[in-house]
Amino acid sequence: MSDLANKIVILVTGGSGLVGSAIRWEWIFARSSEGDLRDPEAAKKLFEKYKPTHVIHLAALGNLFGIDLILADNSVVGGLFKNMKYKLTFLRDNTLINDNVLQTSHETKVKKVISCLSTCVFPDRVQYPLDETKIHLGPPHESNFGYAHAKRMVDVTNHAYHEEFGSSFTSAIPTNVFGPHDNFDLEDSHVIPGLLHKCYLAKKNGTPFTVAGTGKPLRQFIYSRDLAKLFIWQLREYDEIDPVILSVGENEEISIKQVADAIVKAIGFEGDYKFDTTRADGQFRKPASNAKLLRLIGNFTFTPFDQALEETAAWFVQNYDKARIGQVPKANEPE
Ligand code: NAP
Ligand code: GDP
C-alpha cells in the first residue's frame, strides 16, 4: 500500500451550506520543526499562528530529529529500552511540553484539549484490570518512571485547570499503539516497529532474528487508525475531565512471542528466531479495561490484530526508504 493510498482526504460537497458549515473543521498537524513545545515562546507562537479552538495534544518526547537536544546519541522516540535510558530527560522534557501546551491553551481560551497519556501512568502494583480510577494509587513501574510521572501529572493539571478556571482539558489513555509512520528504529522504538525492522533485515541479509526478553510479557495493542477514530469521537462527544482508556478489550492481551510470530508471518521470514533473555522484559503485563469507552461509545469495531499488523508490515516494506528507521549498522544497509 503506498503512502498516498493511506492518505485520507475528505471531500464535503455542499460544504458552505447549513449542514456543511456545522461540520467544517480545519485540521493543523504541527510537528516539532514548527515549534519546540518545550519552549513556552515557541508554544505561544504556534498558538498565535493557528488560533486553535480545540487541541489534540500528542507531542511527546519524542522524535528528536531537528531538535537541539542534550542526548548523547541520535536516537528517537520511546519504548522500553529508551525509557530506561533517559528517565530524567523524559520527565523534564515531557513536563515542559505538557505545561506549555496546557497553559497556552488556557491563555488563548482553547475550548477543549485532549492530551494523550499512556498505560505506563498506572501503578506497577495495583489490582488488574487497570481502569481510569486507578492512576494515582501507587508508584509506576521503575523502568519508565520519568515518562510515567510526567504523563500522570497531566491528569492532575487537567483537574486543577477545571477547578480553578472551568477549563475542558481532558486526556486519553491508549494502550500500546502501532501502525504505518511509526518510528522503526532498531533499538530506540516500541516492540512492533523495532521487531518488524529487525525481521525485515534478517530476511534480507540472511542474519538471525532476535527478540529481546523472554517473549512472555503480555500487551494490548491498538492500531493507530482505530485510535485516530476514537480521538475524533472523544473530541466530539466526551465531556469528562477524567481520562478514558482507548483500547481493545482486556481479553485481547497477546504475548511478545505471539507478536514475533505474527511479524515473521507478515514479513515472510523463513529462518529460526531466538529470544535474548539477557535483555529486559519490562512490566509483565498491564491489562486495561475498555469498559468505560464501550459504555460511552456504544459499539466500536477494532481492526483485527493480524490484519493491522499485515497492513503495517506492508507499509513498512514499501516505504523503507522514507520510513523513520534510525541508524542501521553498515552491514545491514539497504543496497
Ligand atoms: P511519535 O511518533 O514519536 O511522534 C511524536 C510527535 O511529537 C511528533 O509529531 C514530534 O514531532 C512531536 N514532538 C516531539 N517532541 C516535540 C517537541 N519538543 N515539540 C513539539 N513537538 C514535538 O509518537 P507517537 O507514538 O505518535 O505518540 C503520540 C502520543 O501517544 C504521545 O503522547 C505518546 O506518549 C502517546 N502514546 C504512544 C504510544 C505508542 O505505543 N506509540 C502508546 C501510548 C501513548 P517531530 O516528528 O517533528 O519530531
Ligand atoms: P512497553 O514495555 O509497553 O512500554 O512497550 P514496548 O513496545 O517497548 O514493549 C516492550 C516489550 O517487548 C518488552 O517485554 C520487551 O522485552 C519486548 N521486546 C522484544 N523485542 C523488543 C524490541 O526490539 N524493542 C522493544 N521496545 N521491546 C522489545
Side-chain angles (χ1 to χ4, degrees):
M1 206 183 301
S2 76
D3 200 21
L4 212 56
N6 282 326
K7 192 172 169 188
I8 296 171
V9 180
I10 303 167
L11 171 67
V12 182
T13 62
S16 57
L18 170 68
V19 181
S21 304
I23 56 173
R24 198 178 306 151
W25 289 11
E26 186 185 343
W27 289 87
I28 313 290
F29 292 91
R31 59 181 315 157
S32 60
S33 53
E34 283 234 50
D36 182 343
L37 292 169
R38 293 171 299 179
D39 171 7
E41 289 310 314
K44 277 191 188 123
K45 276 194 190 134
L46 187 73
F47 278 64
E48 272 162 18
K49 182 172 174 191
Y50 293 116
K51 302 188 175 28
T53 56
H54 297 68
V55 173
I56 297 183
H57 169 37
L58 304 177
L61 191 79
N63 181 354
L64 310 175
F65 291 131
I67 297 182
D68 183 15
L69 197 89
I70 331 109
L71 297 185
D73 60 15
N74 273 332
S75 51
V76 288
V77 296
L80 172 63
F81 299 111
K82 179 109 183 235
N83 273 300
M84 284 166 63
K85 273 197 280 186
Y86 298 117
K87 285 172 181 148
L88 179 69
T89 307
F90 274 50
L91 174 66
R92 290 194 67 222
D93 285 4
N94 284 312
T95 300
L96 288 170
I97 290 173
N98 297 336
D99 189 55
N100 289 332
V101 167
L102 292 179
Q103 177 59 16
T104 313
S105 296
H106 166 66
E107 286 168 2
T108 60
K109 301 192 170 37
V110 166
K111 290 183 185 146
K112 184 166 179 177
V113 179
I114 301 173
S115 296
C116 192
L117 311 186
S118 151
T119 49
C120 70
V121 299
F122 284 104
D124 181 32
R125 294 200 186 135
V126 70
Q127 197 175 6
Y128 290 145
L130 305 172
D131 71 40
E132 292 82 353
T133 65
K134 296 181 181 171
I135 299 180
H136 304 287
L137 298 186
H141 193 262
E142 57 79 29
S143 62
N144 57 13
F145 73 80
Y147 179 79
H149 275 293
K151 290 261 175 197
R152 239 181 214 206
M153 280 307 293
V154 171
D155 177 51
V156 176
T157 312
N158 284 345
H159 279 277
Y161 273 109
H162 183 68
E163 289 197 14
E164 198 166 330
F165 298 112
S167 315
S168 291
F169 296 172
T170 185
S171 58
I173 308 182
T175 47
N176 294 48
V177 189
F178 72 102
H181 301 277
D182 209 338
N183 160 34
F184 293 88
D185 189 280
L186 287 168
E187 279 307 311
D188 289 333
S189 59
H190 291 278
V191 58
I192 290 184
L195 290 184
L196 271 172
H197 193 177
K198 286 177 191 163
C199 190
Y200 169 85
L201 292 178
K203 179 182 173 190
K204 181 172 176 293
N205 300 327
T207 47
F209 172 41
T210 306
V211 178
T214 62
K216 290 181 182 160
L218 301 168
R219 295 288 185 272
Q220 271 159 293
F221 292 96
I222 180 164
Y223 191 30
S224 55
R225 290 184 178 146
D226 293 345
L227 183 58
K229 291 180 195 162
L230 292 174
F231 269 119
I232 291 171
W233 162 78
Q234 198 179 355
L235 199 58
R236 299 183 78 121
E237 311 287 346
Y238 186 77
D239 290 330
E240 296 179 29
I241 304 303
D242 281 334
V244 58
I245 292 170
L246 304 181
S247 175
V248 300
E250 69 202 69
N251 56 344
E252 292 189 48
E253 277 183 300
I254 58 173
S255 70
I256 300 302
K257 178 172 188 315
Q258 284 172 293
V259 170
D261 288 341
I263 285 174
V264 161
K265 185 162 165 257
I267 293 289
F269 175 72
E270 288 178 348
D272 279 339
Y273 75 88
K274 59 180 189 238
F275 294 93
D276 179 355
T277 53
T278 63
R279 303 204 63 195
D281 267 343
Q283 256 174 301
F284 181 65
R285 63 192 288 247
K286 37 183 173 174
S289 164
N290 66 357
K292 178 174 178 178
L293 170 69
L294 294 187
R295 179 166 50 77
L296 294 171
I297 202 170
N299 198 11
F300 185 81
T301 306
F302 290 93
T303 310
F305 177 79
D306 284 341
Q307 181 191 330
L309 188 75
E310 272 167 31
E311 286 180 21
T312 306
W315 183 90
F316 174 65
V317 171
Q318 280 167 28
N319 293 280
Y320 190 82
D321 292 342
K322 59 177 185 217
R324 293 186 284 167
I325 56 168
Q327 286 176 345
V328 179
K330 280 263 179 294
N332 284 328
E333 230 145 53
E335 286 104 42

